[in-house]
């Protein structure tokens, strides 16, 4: 599996990587000069993230190669959309909770239904993975497909930066949301490239 991995490292730099690099370079100026209201819940940046996630969902659902694997990825993307939108939680909190109450589903009268639905959805996703043996096409791609280095780098920078931004000593929402957007864009371009690849194996159904 690893004997030809170095040959499969794809360092190709094209317009997708330029977009990711530009966003990475924009994070620090955004932290200094951007309007913080762009980065709050239901703000411009969060809506942009949701739009990116919907593009990812579309890519997964239109994939012709390794169809079941990409449907599994689509299930994960749907969960990310649920996480980003909180299923309209802020609207229900504003309507049914007092201003001093913390906006949590458990504090809403029927919020337990949403919490239970999330658990059921996660269990369904795990069940889909097991029943359809999704590890087989994943391993086929790991063994044969190119490894897109720049997408991996930008994803890791976004993930690490977003995590650091949540540290109490930093606590910067602009940095957190910008890094999260970078991470999603890296995922989008990785899916865009992988869904076009055909790996010659009978497992990819």
């Amino acid at each position: 599996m690893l004997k030809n991995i170095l040959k499969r490292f794809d360092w190709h730099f094209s317009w997708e990587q330029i977009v990711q690099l530009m966003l990475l370079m924009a994070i620090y100026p955004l932290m200094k000069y951007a309007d913080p209201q762009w980065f709050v819940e239901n703000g411009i940046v969060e809506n942009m993230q949701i739009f990116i996630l919907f593009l990812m969902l579309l890519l997964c659902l239109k994939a012709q190669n390794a169809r079941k694997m990409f449907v599994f990825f689509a299930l994960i993307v749907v969960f990310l959309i649920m996480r980003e939108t909180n299923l309209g939680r802020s609207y229900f909190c504003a309507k049914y909770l007092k201003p001093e109450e913390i906006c949590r589903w458990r504090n809403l009268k029927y919020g337990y239904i949403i919490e239970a639905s999330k658990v059921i959805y996660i269990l369904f996703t795990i069940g889909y993975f097991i029943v359809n043996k999704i590890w087989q096409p994943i391993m086929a791609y790991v063994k044969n497909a190119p490894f897109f280095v720049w997408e991996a780098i930008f994803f890791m920078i976004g993930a690490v930066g977003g995590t650091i931004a949540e540290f109490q000593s930093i606590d910067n929402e602009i940095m957190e949301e910008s890094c999260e957007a970078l991470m999603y864009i890296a995922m989008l371009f990785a899916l865009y490239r992988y869904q076009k690849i055909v790996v010659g194996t009978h497992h990819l159904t």
Side-chain angles (χ1 to χ4, degrees):
M1 180 175 72
L2 298 178
K3 62 181 180 181
N4 66 337
I5 190 169
L6 293 179
K7 294 180 180 179
R8 291 191 288 118
F9 276 22
D10 188 331
W11 293 90
H12 184 65
F13 206 88
S14 59
W15 69 269
E16 297 102 325
Q17 290 72 46
I18 293 173
V19 170
Q20 294 168 85
L21 180 61
M22 289 175 63
L23 178 55
L24 175 61
M25 294 174 63
I27 292 176
Y28 181 71
L30 286 171
M31 290 169 60
K32 288 181 66 70
Y33 304 113
D35 184 347
Q37 290 302 309
W38 295 353
F39 299 84
V40 299
E41 188 172 357
N42 296 324
I44 294 173
V45 175
E46 186 175 87
N47 287 326
M48 182 186 76
Q49 292 172 357
I50 294 169
F51 177 72
I52 294 168
L53 287 170
F54 272 107
L55 289 179
M56 290 167 59
L57 180 61
L58 182 63
L59 280 176
C60 290
L61 293 177
K62 69 173 287 191
Q64 298 301 313
N65 309 307
R67 177 72 179 165
K68 291 180 180 178
M69 181 182 75
F70 280 100
V71 169
F72 171 71
F73 292 159
L75 292 172
I76 295 175
V77 173
V78 169
F79 181 79
L80 293 175
I81 293 172
M82 293 165 57
R83 173 183 170 272
E84 286 297 332
T85 60
N86 281 318
L87 299 175
R89 187 180 66 187
S90 59
Y91 168 79
F92 293 104
C93 288
K95 187 172 179 63
Y96 298 108
L97 292 182
K98 297 176 181 178
E100 64 272 13
E101 291 183 279
I102 298 175
C103 185
R104 295 287 186 271
W105 283 116
R106 67 178 70 97
N107 293 333
L108 292 162
K109 186 175 182 180
Y110 298 106
Y112 66 90
I113 297 175
I114 301 298
E115 295 291 352
S117 298
K118 288 181 179 179
V119 174
I120 292 171
Y121 184 84
I122 292 170
L123 292 175
F124 172 80
T125 303
I126 294 171
Y128 182 90
F129 180 87
I130 295 171
V131 170
N132 292 285
K133 302 178 181 179
I134 302 301
W135 61 85
Q136 292 180 343
I138 288 177
M139 289 307 300
Y141 272 78
V142 169
K143 291 179 180 179
N144 300 288
F147 179 76
F148 298 117
V149 179
W150 289 113
E151 274 71 26
I153 290 173
F154 287 122
F155 177 87
M156 289 303 301
I157 292 173
V160 172
T163 302
I164 292 173
E166 292 184 320
F167 289 174
Q168 190 173 2
S169 57
I170 298 177
D171 192 22
N172 192 301
E173 192 169 27
I174 294 178
M175 178 180 174
E176 178 188 349
E177 296 298 330
S178 298
C179 287
E180 198 168 277
L182 174 63
M183 186 174 64
Y184 287 157
I185 288 176
M187 291 169 62
L188 172 67
F189 286 133
L191 283 170
Y192 169 72
R193 302 177 78 178
Y194 278 116
Q195 61 96 18
K196 296 189 296 183
I197 292 174
V198 179
V199 174
T201 169
H202 66 282
H203 291 315
L204 302 188
T205 59

